[in-house]
């Protein structure tokens, strides 16, 4: 059997959502988060304009076998609006920072979305019947004069065109002084946490007017501040465990059974710095931009500016594996600092079996690493690759002054305005979602999509 990375190299195909050629877009159209639900049947994206778009996977059709797996727009709604904090004279962006699905308990779906300050719980449900024959209402829904009602009838449900309804169920506000960067639903399905630069709060999904502060790293004097929280996530199976990452490149595993305030971590994952490799940019590029538990719960995947690392929960001293995402940029750090690209926050993702990891890069490139074979591949999300059932070809970037082969791309010709910051992997199949500016690309390994 071919390894996942081999198949993904040679036979990843585009499913749908081909972008319009030369389509213009505004800042509000830029995708800011991507998330599959727990079954992979739904895919949600959030953008800088505060909108959430949900895509649904098409069921398999005997007449059109090739259409199976395509995602089409299911629902679109405005999640957040721009606000203004009059006390601090601060504008609050409508940009969606994170979306997290709740496991499905009934016919409806629920998801959490957040901007910098406010988290909202949304219910997504379908309606294909409507009640008719009200006794006290007319056909347009107006209340009848009760004196005109001379007979009673039994209301009936009549079929209607399928309608997807999205309604806000909870608004969790006024709990964060700083910008929310993470939300994570606990495995008890009753609580979730939200993290900002200095604090992490624990919420109950049914209670909106209070939360419990479980991490607070704010110093008494802000001049003593040396690090900020960059990401946080609950363990997939143990509801008492969570991890959070910092701008210093450290990971802290916390156990809520030990104390109400988890300022003292259970484990600290930190890689010793090589003094000979230290530079002006060392602290900036070591900041962890994303952390994800593996599906098994045994490993942690982190992403900093240049590398992706896999950590074993039983080994704190150093990462189990380190993957160079775009090492050819080391010579470009000065210019990347000047244009602020060095502060870009790349996300990372596991495949369903925890054997392959994925993360983004520049020039609309994204990288995959096979943990078993140690193979890696660079692929491009582009208009050419977005044609239905187009096969993605591996790309290669050569360092400045290096030997170039045909089709190689020089590091000097990379477009740093095109960046893949947000990616997601289907929970069980080889289907990936890539957000490239205002375009969403969905790719499938058609030969081996059920290898997990």
């Amino acid at each position: 059997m071919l390894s996942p990375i081999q198949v993904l190299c040679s036979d990843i195909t585009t499913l749908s959502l081909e972008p319009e050629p030369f389509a213009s877009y505004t800042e509000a159209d830029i995708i800011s988060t991507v998330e599959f639900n727990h079954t992979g049947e739904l895919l949600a994206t959030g953008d800088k304009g505060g909108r959430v778009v949900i895509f649904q996977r098409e069921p398999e059709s005997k007449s059109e076998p090739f259409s199976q797996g395509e995602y089409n727009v299911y629902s679109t709604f405005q999640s957040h609006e721009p606000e203004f904090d009059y006390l601090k004279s601060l504008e609050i962006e409508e940009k969606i920072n994170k979306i997290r699905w709740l496991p499905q308990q009934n016919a409806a779906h629920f998801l959490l979305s957040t901007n910098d300050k406010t988290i909202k719980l949304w219910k997504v449900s379908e309606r294909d019947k409507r009640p008719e024959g009200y006794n006290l209402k007319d056909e347009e829904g107006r209340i009848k004069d009760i004196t005109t009602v001379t007979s009673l009838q039994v209301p009936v449900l009549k079929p209607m065109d399928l309608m997807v309804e999205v309604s806000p169920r909870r608004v969790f506000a006024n709990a964060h002084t700083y910008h929310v960067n993470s939300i994570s639903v606990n495995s008890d399905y009753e609580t979730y946490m939200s993290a900002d630069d200095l604090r992490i709060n624990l919420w109950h999904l049914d209670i909106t007017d209070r939360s419990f502060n479980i991490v607070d790293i704010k110093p008494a004097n802000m001049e003593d501040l040396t690090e900020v929280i960059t990401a946080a996530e609950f363990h997939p199976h143990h509801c008492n465990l969570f991890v959070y990452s910092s701008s210093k490149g450290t990971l802290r595993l916390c156990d809520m059974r030990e104390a109400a305030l988890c300022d003292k971590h259970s484990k600290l994952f930190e890689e010793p710095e090589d003094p000979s490799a230290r530079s002006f940019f060392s602290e900036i590029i070591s900041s962890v931009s994303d952390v994800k538990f593996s599906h098994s719960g045994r490993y942690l995947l982190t992403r900093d500016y240049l590398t992706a690392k896999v950590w074993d929960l039983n080994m704190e001293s150093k990462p189990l594996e380190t993957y160079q995402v775009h090492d050819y940029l080391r010579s470009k750090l000065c210019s990347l600092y000047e244009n602020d690209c060095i502060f870009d926050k790349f996300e990372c993702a596991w495949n369903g079996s925890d054997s392959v990891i994925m993360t983004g890069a520049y020039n609309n490139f994204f990288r995959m690493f096979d943990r078993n074979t140690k193979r890696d591949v660079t692929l491009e999300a582009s208009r050419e690759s977005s044609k239905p059932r187009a096969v993605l070809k591996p790309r290669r970037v050569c360092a400045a002054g290096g030997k170039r082969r045909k089709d190689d791309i020089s590091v000097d010709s990379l477009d740093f305005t095109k960046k893949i910051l947000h990616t997601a992997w289907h929970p069980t199949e080889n289907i990936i979602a890539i957000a490239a500016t205002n375009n969403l690309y969905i790719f499938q390994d058609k030969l081996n999509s059920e290898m997990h």
Side-chain angles (χ1 to χ4, degrees):
M1 180 183 286
L2 292 172
S3 68
I5 208 76
Q6 283 179 293
V7 180
L8 289 169
C9 281
S10 60
D11 216 27
I12 287 190
T13 59
T14 306
L15 290 177
S16 60
L17 307 182
E18 181 177 1
E20 293 293 325
F22 310 113
S24 61
Y25 66 92
T26 64
E27 181 83 4
D29 298 323
I30 296 175
I31 297 173
S32 54
T33 185
V34 184
E35 186 79 8
F36 281 102
N37 74 339
H38 289 72
T39 63
E41 295 305 303
L42 297 178
L43 171 66
T45 67
D47 63 27
K48 289 190 173 183
R51 295 180 298 266
V52 172
V53 182
I54 302 174
F55 299 89
Q56 183 181 46
R57 194 180 187 192
E58 290 297 309
E60 188 167 6
S61 167
K62 290 183 180 179
S63 59
E64 297 180 69
F66 291 108
S67 70
Q68 201 274 332
E70 290 192 357
Y71 285 80
N72 293 318
V73 175
Y74 181 64
S75 179
T76 302
F77 62 96
Q78 188 72 30
S79 173
H80 287 71
E81 301 280 358
E83 299 173 51
F84 191 80
D85 186 333
Y86 291 96
L87 289 176
K88 297 180 180 176
S89 296
L90 190 70
E91 288 185 6
I92 301 171
E93 283 186 314
E94 64 270 38
K95 173 192 168 192
I96 307 297
N97 292 341
K98 282 286 185 290
I99 290 173
R100 290 289 180 265
W101 291 91
L102 274 63
Q104 190 174 3
Q105 307 286 340
N106 50 37
H109 298 273
F110 290 86
L111 62 85
L112 289 166
S113 64
T114 183
N115 65 351
D116 285 342
K117 299 291 181 184
T118 306
I119 304 151
K120 296 183 180 181
L121 175 66
W122 297 89
K123 179 183 179 182
V124 183
S125 55
E126 294 182 351
R127 192 147 64 95
D128 60 358
K129 293 182 176 64
R130 68 172 182 271
E132 284 188 4
Y134 284 110
N135 290 294
L136 302 178
K137 292 181 184 176
D138 61 20
E139 292 179 359
E140 295 177 4
R142 291 181 300 230
I143 301 294
K144 291 181 183 177
D145 181 354
I146 198 166
T147 59
T148 65
V149 179
T150 58
S151 62
L152 295 178
Q153 58 183 331
V154 178
V156 294
L157 291 173
K158 293 280 185 73
M160 59 176 279
D161 292 337
L162 179 67
M163 186 168 69
V164 180
E165 295 180 327
V166 180
S167 55
R169 300 308 298 267
R170 308 270 189 281
V171 177
F172 306 88
N174 306 319
H176 285 279
T177 307
Y178 307 98
H179 293 175
V180 177
N181 55 48
S182 303
I183 49 176
S184 179
V185 180
N186 202 347
S187 58
D188 62 10
Y189 306 148
E190 291 185 357
T191 57
Y192 76 93
M193 69 177 172
S194 56
D196 65 26
D197 296 337
L198 298 179
R199 296 189 178 102
I200 300 176
N201 293 333
L202 181 68
W203 300 82
H204 193 285
L205 284 163
D206 291 331
I207 301 171
T208 60
D209 59 354
R210 64 183 181 273
S211 61
F212 295 95
N213 180 226
I214 53 176
V215 172
D216 187 347
I217 66 168
K218 183 181 179 182
N221 184 351
M222 284 296 278
E223 291 180 1
D224 299 330
L225 184 67
T226 58
E227 63 180 332
V228 295
I229 298 167
T230 55
E233 187 174 67
F234 269 119
H235 190 282
H237 311 305
H238 301 299
C239 61
N240 54 292
L241 295 177
F242 68 93
V243 67
Y244 68 92
S245 58
S246 86
S247 56
K248 274 191 168 181
T250 60
L251 303 173
R252 290 176 174 87
L253 184 72
C254 300
D255 189 338
M256 291 190 291
R257 296 173 300 184
E258 293 180 359
L261 190 63
C262 300
D263 283 355
K264 292 182 180 177
H265 49 268
S266 300
K267 291 187 176 184
L268 175 68
F269 301 87
E270 186 174 18
E271 187 172 21
E273 187 182 16
D274 181 2
S276 63
R278 183 164 180 79
S279 71
F280 170 78
F281 305 107
S282 294
E283 284 191 17
I284 302 173
I285 64 174
S286 65
S287 175
V288 175
S289 57
D290 194 21
V291 58
K292 294 271 173 46
F293 273 103
S294 62
H295 294 82
S296 67
R298 170 72 185 272
Y299 304 104
L300 288 167
L301 171 61
T302 63
R303 173 68 205 267
D304 55 41
Y305 191 66
L306 293 177
T307 65
K309 296 174 182 175
V310 175
W311 300 77
D312 190 319
L313 287 191
N314 298 324
M315 188 170 73
E316 301 169 60
S317 58
K318 62 178 181 179
L320 192 66
E321 302 152 19
T322 301
Y323 301 97
Q324 301 296 332
V325 178
H326 37 209
D327 202 43
Y328 45 78
L329 293 184
R330 286 190 186 276
S331 62
K332 299 281 183 184
L333 292 179
C334 192
S335 59
L336 290 166
Y337 178 77
E338 289 171 357
N339 63 18
D340 284 345
C341 283
I342 201 169
F343 301 106
D344 286 334
K345 292 176 169 52
F346 292 94
E347 294 176 5
C348 50
W350 296 89
N351 73 339
S353 61
D354 299 334
S355 59
V356 183
I357 62 174
M358 171 177 63
T359 190
Y362 292 105
N363 211 67
N364 277 1
F365 289 165
F366 58 98
R367 303 269 283 137
M368 290 183 171
F369 303 91
D370 189 312
R371 298 181 58 215
N372 299 322
T373 64
K374 304 305 177 189
R375 289 193 184 94
D376 64 89
V377 65
T378 300
L379 299 168
E380 183 180 8
S382 65
R383 297 193 190 285
E384 290 71 33
S385 64
S386 68
K387 294 170 184 173
R389 277 161 287 286
V391 177
L392 289 188
K393 295 177 181 175
R395 307 303 302 267
R396 184 175 177 270
V397 180
C398 66
K403 222 176 171 186
R404 286 184 65 179
R405 298 182 300 196
K406 188 187 174 186
D407 297 332
D408 280 2
I409 298 167
S410 167
V411 68
D412 295 319
S413 61
L414 293 177
D415 186 345
F416 292 103
T417 63
K418 295 179 178 178
K419 54 192 83 168
I420 305 294
L421 300 178
H422 312 290
T423 61
W425 205 311
H426 190 289
T428 56
E429 298 183 38
N430 274 352
I431 298 175
I432 56 175
I434 307 291
T437 320
N438 65 318
N439 295 320
L440 177 67
Y441 297 89
I442 301 178
F443 302 114
Q444 180 185 37
D445 163 10
K446 65 182 181 182
L447 291 183
N448 209 14
S449 61
E450 297 180 4
M451 62 173 301
H452 306 309

